[in-house]
Amino acid sequence: RAKVLAIISNARLTLDLITEAPGTFDELMWSFAPAARAARFTSMTDIPAVTPESTAMSTELRRLGFRFVGPTTMYALMQSSGMVDDHVEACWRTH
């Protein structure tokens, strides 16, 4: 129940932010994107679950009132949205 209520609350906060100042939410989120890595990870176990950037994103979103936005979840968001590229060297997507 708490997660469902958080989703509703987070959606309302997002709508408020993008309505009040179009583009600023996008800028906010991308401001936490880390610099591209020089080398790819060699195995899946090398990929972090939390980074300083995901921790900073989590902290800022919590400050804005978002809930259930921990650093691990924020790193997963970064991966799924393309903010980070964690494909390992052997992945067919990297060739």
Side-chain angles (χ1 to χ4, degrees):
R1 181 165 171 85
K3 285 184 181 182
V4 171
L5 293 174
I7 290 168
I8 294 166
S9 174
N10 291 350
R12 286 184 178 139
L13 285 168
T14 302
L15 281 173
D16 290 346
L17 288 170
I18 62 175
T19 302
E20 291 172 8
T24 57
F25 186 68
D26 182 58
E27 290 173 16
L28 171 69
M29 298 303 284
W30 279 93
S31 73
F32 297 102
R37 289 187 190 85
R40 294 204 174 272
F41 293 115
T42 55
S43 76
M44 296 293 285
T45 58
D46 295 334
I47 299 172
V50 173
T51 63
E53 295 86 0
S54 70
T55 301
M57 179 187 280
S58 171
T59 300
E60 179 61 16
L61 290 176
R62 285 180 181 163
R63 187 187 71 74
L64 293 172
F66 287 82
R67 295 180 292 169
F68 284 95
V69 290
T72 303
T73 303
M74 293 303 93
Y75 194 69
L77 170 72
M78 291 175 160
Q79 290 172 313
S80 66
S81 66
M83 294 173 78
V84 295
D85 178 1
D86 282 346
H87 290 277
V88 295
E89 280 181 6
C91 179
W92 65 273
R93 297 282 307 199
T94 61
H95 302 287

